[in-house]
Amino acid sequence: MSPSHNLVRPLEQVTASYRSARPRPPREVTDARRADQLAAWVALSLDEPSALKNLQDAAAELRDVPQLTVVLPRVTGAAMALMGAEFGNIQFMDPRDGSLILVTQSGFRREFLDHFAVVRDSLSVCGRAARQGAQSVSEDVRDDPAFAPHQKIFRAAGVRSVQSTPLVDHTGRLMGMISTHMSQPGRPSDQDLRIMDLYGQLAGEVIARHLADGGAGGHPAGLPYGASARDERMALLARAGTTSGTTQWVYRVDEPYGSGGCRTYGIHPNQWRGRITADGPDQDAEYTAALVARELRAEWNIHGPGSARPVHVHVWRGWEGTHRDADFTLEIQPDLDGRHRPATDSA
């Protein structure tokens, strides 16, 4: 699989347009489409909890990357891995005129990149997906007469099948498109397409934060999900958990950092972030925090008193958010001599 890389000049130009004083009104997905997306989260939480956790882990890794120029190749590579694809690209929706600008690619040659540098119509898979605000698939581009203007380019690139998935922010605004391409005809499974669709939401939210906070070289201050979308997801996941007899608790351990701030605890971002499935009402958010605290103390005992430090264990139902909206927060304050003060609920 070829490494993904950014197309520097188009990326700089389109990200600059997001700071324009008079951008074009944003294109949004329909309410029905958003309802379908939320239903997909519930279905995945019930049918494939491990796949849901993998998506969350992938999103967590993106949120910890400080620059958009690093995020985009990772999104492309992850999408290609999810789809088992040989080629991939990302396009941004130009807010000035609604066109799709190619900003990141993997596996393509110059002829393909020049041809699809700017897409302004629906005579392509990505253009059709942008017009509909929904995922689009072509099982064989040679059998679709709508793609006649692109046949020569597809043949030269060795592309037979394509899927394009919208990148959307937490409000449903269309930010761009992530597309993957295969050299053989065929359609990905419904499950793979559903996971790809959800990944487009996660990646789109991260990309939107970067664009709002400075563009290609910006450093977003933090990347929590938008409150409205997150609340809807949490409510649906909570109802799903009630129906199935289980509850999904998500936890994260933070430590104080800087002037009044905090950062994720551990040697790497995902070491102390995770998900615990509760099987009964007594296994609540407080119970989950206690399990995490027990593991923390076990690690501190192994590495010695000097490894202990003040931390907060945050727990959410269904979906990770900010420390302010946690269902429960456990504060652990070790003494200077290595002994632990009683943990307190600071929620």
Side-chain angles (χ1 to χ4, degrees):
M1 184 179 295
S2 301
S4 305
H5 68 270
N6 298 317
L7 308 177
V8 177
R9 188 179 298 276
L11 179 58
E12 290 177 346
Q13 291 174 346
V14 74
T15 53
S17 70
Y18 277 85
R19 300 190 295 276
S20 170
R22 302 179 65 182
R24 177 188 177 95
R27 190 181 305 180
E28 298 183 356
V29 300
T30 64
D31 290 340
R33 177 61 183 154
R34 294 185 67 189
D36 289 343
Q37 291 170 338
L38 291 168
W41 284 107
V42 175
L44 192 63
S45 72
L46 295 175
D47 301 337
E48 296 287 343
S50 61
L52 180 61
K53 186 179 186 305
N54 289 339
L55 278 179
Q56 291 177 313
D57 290 344
E61 292 177 0
L62 292 179
R63 292 198 301 271
D64 290 317
V65 176
Q67 289 185 315
L68 183 60
T69 52
V70 180
V71 166
L72 297 178
R74 293 192 182 185
V75 171
T76 307
M80 292 167 64
L82 284 172
M83 294 288 97
E86 298 141 282
F87 316 96
N89 64 54
I90 291 177
Q91 297 154 298
F92 277 178
M93 177 74 70
D94 193 326
R96 297 169 298 185
D97 61 9
S99 61
L100 291 173
I101 309 298
L102 186 60
V103 297
T104 304
Q105 71 89 23
S106 179
F108 292 112
R109 297 179 179 177
R110 176 53 56 187
E111 184 180 15
F112 184 96
L113 302 180
D114 290 343
H115 184 82
F116 288 105
V118 181
V119 174
R120 292 190 172 92
D121 56 43
S122 58
L123 299 180
S124 63
V125 184
C126 60
R128 186 166 62 189
R131 177 173 56 83
Q132 297 172 346
Q135 197 172 54
S136 181
V137 178
S138 176
E139 298 183 33
D140 192 340
V141 295
R142 297 181 187 177
D143 290 340
D144 196 329
F147 303 147
H150 308 300
Q151 289 295 345
K152 179 181 177 182
I153 300 301
F154 282 141
R155 288 178 181 273
V159 171
R160 289 294 298 274
S161 57
V162 185
Q163 75 76 33
S164 292
T165 296
L167 295 166
V168 296
D169 70 4
H170 70 275
T171 68
R173 181 177 59 158
L174 184 62
M175 307 302 299
M177 204 64 53
I178 174 72
S179 301
T180 56
H181 312 68
M182 293 287 291
S183 61
Q184 298 297 320
R187 179 183 178 86
S189 69
D190 290 343
Q191 176 77 331
D192 286 345
L193 288 172
R194 180 170 65 175
I195 292 174
M196 185 67 239
D197 200 25
L198 298 180
Y199 185 68
Q201 296 178 53
L202 297 175
E205 291 174 4
V206 172
I207 289 169
R209 292 285 178 175
H210 278 279
L211 291 174
D213 291 329
H219 296 263
L223 299 168
Y225 291 106
S228 59
R230 178 185 168 272
D231 290 346
E232 288 178 289
R233 290 175 190 164
M234 285 180 65
L236 284 169
L237 287 170
R239 289 198 292 273
T242 301
T243 302
S244 65
T246 64
T247 302
Q248 299 286 327
W249 295 107
V250 177
Y251 67 87
R252 186 183 74 227
V253 180
D254 289 344
E255 63 175 320
Y257 180 73
S259 178
C262 63
R263 64 182 177 186
T264 305
Y265 171 73
I267 59 176
H268 57 79
N270 293 323
Q271 182 182 11
W272 288 99
R273 302 169 95 148
R275 173 177 292 270
I276 293 176
T277 300
D279 296 322
D282 56 325
Q283 298 179 358
D284 56 8
E286 185 173 354
Y287 170 86
T288 301
L291 290 179
V292 177
R294 184 179 65 186
E295 294 300 317
L296 277 168
R297 288 171 177 144
E299 180 175 272
W300 290 342
N301 288 336
I302 291 173
H303 295 289
S307 63
R309 65 190 69 183
V311 295
H312 291 172
V313 181
H314 305 295
V315 180
W316 300 266
R317 182 190 299 269
W319 199 262
E320 180 181 314
T322 69
H323 68 277
R324 296 182 182 86
D325 56 23
D327 289 79
F328 185 80
T329 295
L330 185 69
E331 181 179 350
I332 303 176
Q333 289 282 354
D335 286 330
L336 294 178
D337 61 3
R339 293 178 298 173
H340 306 298
R341 298 174 188 166
T344 61
D345 169 18
S346 58

